[in-house]
Amino acid sequence: MDLIVQGVWKAVVLLVTFDPETWSITLLSLQVSGVATLASLFIGMGAGISLALADFRGKKLLVSIINTGMGLPPVVVGLFVTIMLWRNGPMGFLKLLYTPGAIILAQAVIATPIVAGITIAAIQNLPRNLRLQILALGATRLQMIWLLMREARLPLLAAVMAGFGGVISEVGASIMVGGNIKGYTRVLTTATVMETGRGNFDIAIALGIILLLLTFAVNYILTLVQQHDRPR
Amino acid sequence: MNAHPLILEIKNIDVRRGGARVLDVPQLSLRQGHILCLVGPNGSGKSTLLLTMCGLLDRTQGELLFKGLPVDGRPSMLAYRRSTATVFQEPLLFDTTVYDNVASGLKLRGLPRQEIRCRVEHNLERFRISHLARRAARKLSGGEAQRAALARAFATEPEILFLDEPFSGLDPPTREALIDDLERIFRDTGISVVMSSHDQTEALRLADVMVVMRQGSVVQTGSPEEIINFPIDEFVASFVGMGTVLKGKVVEALQDTVMIGVGDQRIECVGEAATGRQVILCIRPEHVTLALPGGKDSDSARNNFTGTITRIISMGHFLKVQLDCGFFLSTHITHQSREVLGLAVGGAVLVSFKATAVHMIAHA
């Protein structure tokens, strides 16, 4: 019992004193996962919308593959990205392994199918004739896509949340491709794993609380955006 | 110069889906200010034809001419879509306010705010939904939503309006009120309209030109009067509500009229046909009169028969009476006439109709 009380106490102290190391870890987590989510939005939403609007043979197969990708185990992605970035691997020349860039890459690989999968479902869930109705109103193709996205804004923001939630809480890939280097690639999840392993439960609890608060804050903001301007 | 020049013309339209031909229309045109109504049973291709005409269907072969100029390629297609508007069976409103919905087509065109406001308010008023302007579109009733969709279409001031089964999802009173308003608005604006409907009464009421479709082809084109009174074949006759459609054979050609043998009976009708020719006779229910046996035969009617009532079906405001006169005959009567005449199934009645009331179609 003492362990928990002490842990929470230490956590509060770390939080309210703005401990520089904790602070830098938090910031890096936010940056890395934020950039990775952003990248996955561009690729995942772009691909998802094109796929949802396109009609071709093998579409169902491709959508199934993407949906399977939504449950991609981070350690498998970590392994794959490590091999790709390994010194004599296909992308070794980038010298990205054990840098924040590597974590961003791995997290983007994890988040993209999540965003794409939800985007496809969101766009396909709109009424079939809505696309025709928008074109009939005199929309260009870009205007049509914009209006479809606006109509699907609730599930599309859910895609953002799911993507961000997936990568900020992920540890396997980050530790494999980032290496948990102090002050360089140490993020909230990898630090928590390490501190727990060392028996420093107080710091681990503090990091855990920060992670939870961070995820909550980001999702709260997105929810506000999502529910904004809904007429009553 | 014609008071109603051609505004839209399609040529050699051929639409295939999965190798099967779903639409084959060699030519169809719409005149300025006319209301053209595509009618036919479900699956006859009327919606496909309508979508083709408004340029929303891909994989289409054929030509689309707007005011004599071909519509092809992206820029001219966009310009064409911006000169027209389409309203579907479902209102397909955006998840925002009614006002923003009606403004949406204008925003896409990048019109100035003041102009948008002016046009939106005018069209909200026109469709009697000004009081709903700030309401969420998703919370409207079916009739209100369809009015908002129509206001959205009219706000863009289209030269041609396309309506795909616009009243199908509405209950009868709502539908009636909306058709009343639309009729007035069509008249006031003089807009050219193409609408599809599986309900011939809507078409009869609104259309200048009716196009009857079956299995992806146009069966007959003409004014509603032409189509109702002179259906080209059995299919059109039964679709536009000809109560009775009979098969017969010309037994005698008289002056101006012919005698047609139907079963053991003979029906006289106006027209010309060679003796021995197979024909189809159509008799509209409202042209058949009933009287009690023993009463006086109608003086002017050339066709008088004694019949037995086989069935009386309530159609709501009126009754449909089916008779056996040696051939099958159907007519409509009011509830009041039924009581006055004391009609019941199995009862005998005198049936009469004029020779001019029979529309004869010579079998091909």
Side-chain angles (χ1 to χ4, degrees):
Chain A
M1 199 59 208
D2 267 6
L3 210 59
I4 298 174
V5 176
Q6 266 180 26
V8 173
W9 177 243
K10 180 71 186 286
V12 172
V13 170
L14 276 176
L15 288 176
V16 295
T17 56
F18 287 97
D19 174 63
E21 196 184 335
T22 315
W23 188 240
S24 80
I25 291 176
T26 308
L27 217 61
L28 183 67
S29 283
L30 206 54
Q31 278 171 350
V32 164
S33 296
V35 174
T37 309
L38 219 60
S40 72
L41 287 186
F42 276 107
I43 306 165
M45 270 195 195
I49 290 170
S50 326
L51 257 173
L53 298 183
D55 210 0
F56 57 92
R57 280 170 78 96
K59 178 173 169 176
K60 282 194 182 122
L61 183 70
L62 197 53
V63 173
S64 315
I65 291 172
I66 289 174
N67 286 339
T68 308
M70 290 172 78
L72 221 50
V75 282
V76 175
V77 175
L79 171 65
F80 174 72
V81 172
T82 305
I83 293 171
M84 294 298 283
L85 295 180
W86 201 251
R87 216 173 298 123
N88 46 11
M91 290 162 75
F93 64 93
L94 290 174
K95 296 197 164 45
L96 223 53
L97 201 58
Y98 305 127
T99 66
I103 309 180
I104 291 175
L105 182 64
Q107 292 194 344
V109 172
I110 294 168
T112 299
I114 298 177
V115 173
I118 300 178
T119 301
I120 293 171
I123 298 292
Q124 284 185 336
N125 203 27
L126 294 171
R128 278 181 62 86
N129 276 341
L130 186 64
R131 201 156 43 129
L132 296 182
Q133 175 68 83
I134 293 172
L135 288 176
L137 277 169
T140 61
R141 198 173 157 76
L142 276 178
Q143 285 177 324
M144 175 192 79
I145 289 171
W146 168 246
L147 283 177
L148 286 177
M149 286 177 72
R150 212 183 63 179
E151 281 307 284
R153 61 188 180 275
L154 298 182
L156 287 185
L157 274 158
V160 180
M161 293 184 215
F164 181 77
V167 294
I168 189 101
S169 61
E170 166 287 322
V171 59
S174 298
I175 218 159
M176 287 164 88
V177 305
N180 192 30
I181 302 165
K182 186 178 179 183
Y184 186 48
T185 58
R186 184 165 296 172
V187 291
L188 283 167
T189 51
T190 58
T192 310
V193 170
M194 185 190 69
E195 299 296 352
T196 308
R198 285 178 178 168
N200 297 333
F201 295 126
D202 43 3
I203 303 178
I205 289 174
L207 293 171
I209 290 174
I210 294 171
L211 187 59
L212 277 174
L213 284 176
L214 198 65
T215 316
F216 172 76
V218 170
N219 278 304
Y220 183 66
I221 293 166
L222 287 173
T223 309
L224 285 184
V225 175
Q226 191 182 45
Q227 306 294 334
H228 165 73
D229 97 291
R230 291 214 81 196
R232 259 163 279 280
Chain B
M1 175 124 180
N2 195 320
H4 296 284
L6 283 188
I7 186 163
L8 179 65
E9 194 177 7
I10 56 169
K11 284 181 186 166
N12 305 319
I13 296 294
D14 185 352
V15 181
R16 283 157 197 276
R17 227 169 262 152
R21 190 182 253 192
V22 292
L23 192 65
D24 174 25
V25 179
Q27 199 273 342
L28 189 66
S29 54
L30 171 70
R31 293 195 172 275
Q32 185 124 39
H34 272 187
I35 298 168
L36 184 142
C37 198
L38 306 169
V39 296
N42 290 329
S44 58
K46 48 189 193 305
S47 285
T48 310
L49 178 56
L50 187 116
L51 290 181
T52 306
M53 290 174 92
C54 48
L56 287 173
L57 210 64
D58 312 329
R59 289 171 294 168
T60 304
Q61 284 218 336
E63 263 187 283
L64 185 64
L65 297 164
F66 178 54
K67 294 176 169 173
L69 296 172
V71 179
D72 49 15
R74 267 198 189 171
S76 76
M77 189 55 93
L78 182 66
Y80 175 63
R81 284 182 189 145
R82 288 190 172 182
S83 312
T84 61
T86 308
V87 175
F88 292 85
Q89 182 178 339
E90 328 90 272
L92 294 169
L93 296 173
F94 297 117
D95 186 13
T96 172
T97 62
V98 172
Y99 183 97
D100 285 341
N101 263 287
V102 178
S104 57
L106 307 175
K107 283 185 187 159
L108 290 174
R109 288 162 176 74
L111 260 54
R113 226 192 159 100
Q114 193 55 41
E115 164 113 32
I116 292 181
R117 185 200 213 114
C118 182
R119 286 212 214 169
V120 171
E121 280 172 1
H122 174 62
N123 281 287
L124 286 172
E125 207 167 297
R126 184 182 250 168
F127 284 93
R128 306 176 202 270
I129 50 171
S130 298
H131 59 292
L132 302 173
R134 298 280 146 223
R135 195 81 75 78
R138 292 278 153 93
K139 302 235 165 113
L140 300 179
S141 71
E144 290 166 345
Q146 199 58 299
R147 278 168 187 270
L150 283 161
R152 176 173 66 179
F154 269 90
T156 63
E157 296 178 0
E159 295 188 61
I160 308 176
L161 177 67
F162 296 97
L163 304 171
D164 189 14
E165 302 259 5
F167 314 116
S168 294
L170 307 176
D171 58 72
T174 310
R175 172 195 304 224
E176 276 307 304
L178 185 56
I179 294 179
D180 275 346
D181 281 345
L182 261 188
E183 218 176 352
R184 167 178 58 84
I185 294 162
F186 285 168
R187 216 177 26 240
D188 293 350
T189 54
I191 191 172
S192 313
V193 182
V194 178
M195 66 179 271
S196 70
S197 171
H198 63 261
D199 178 359
Q200 19 93 5
T201 55
E202 285 168 8
L204 296 178
R205 214 170 131 180
L206 296 167
D208 295 301
V209 179
M210 238 167 116
V211 176
V212 186
M213 298 194 63
R214 178 177 51 172
Q215 291 169 5
S217 300
V218 171
V219 187
Q220 189 176 5
T221 305
S223 70
E225 294 74 27
E226 275 169 348
I227 302 235
I228 289 182
N229 294 317
F230 310 105
I232 194 171
D233 64 13
E234 251 179 297
F235 169 76
V236 177
S238 63
F239 185 76
V240 298
M242 281 288 185
T244 307
V245 179
L246 301 167
K247 280 189 178 145
K249 197 177 186 179
V250 179
V251 290
E252 194 183 353
L254 307 165
Q255 205 178 2
D256 301 332
T257 63
V258 284
M259 276 298 203
I260 314 291
V262 179
D264 296 334
Q265 301 282 16
R266 286 178 161 211
I267 295 175
E268 188 176 355
C269 72
V270 173
E272 276 178 44
T275 308
R277 187 98 194 249
Q278 297 283 345
V279 294
I280 290 165
L281 302 180
C282 306
I283 307 162
R284 295 195 61 81
E286 59 268 31
H287 291 155
V288 178
T289 52
L290 299 183
L292 288 175
K296 203 160 67 87
D297 277 0
S298 170
D299 327 323
S300 56
R302 303 293 268 277
N303 296 296
N304 296 287
F305 301 95
T306 306
T308 311
I309 297 174
T310 54
R311 235 181 133 189
I312 298 177
I313 306 154
S314 174
M315 306 294 283
H317 302 302
F318 61 92
L319 298 161
K320 184 171 169 180
V321 180
Q322 297 185 340
L323 302 143
D324 180 6
C325 309
F327 53 86
F328 168 87
L329 194 65
S330 167
T331 181
H332 294 167
I333 58 165
T334 61
H335 288 274
Q336 204 190 358
S337 329
R338 182 193 185 177
E339 287 199 1
V340 171
L341 294 172
L343 300 182
V345 173
V349 279
L350 285 180
V351 182
S352 47
F353 49 90
K354 297 181 180 184
T356 51
V358 184
H359 170 59
M360 180 175 67
I361 302 166
H363 237 324

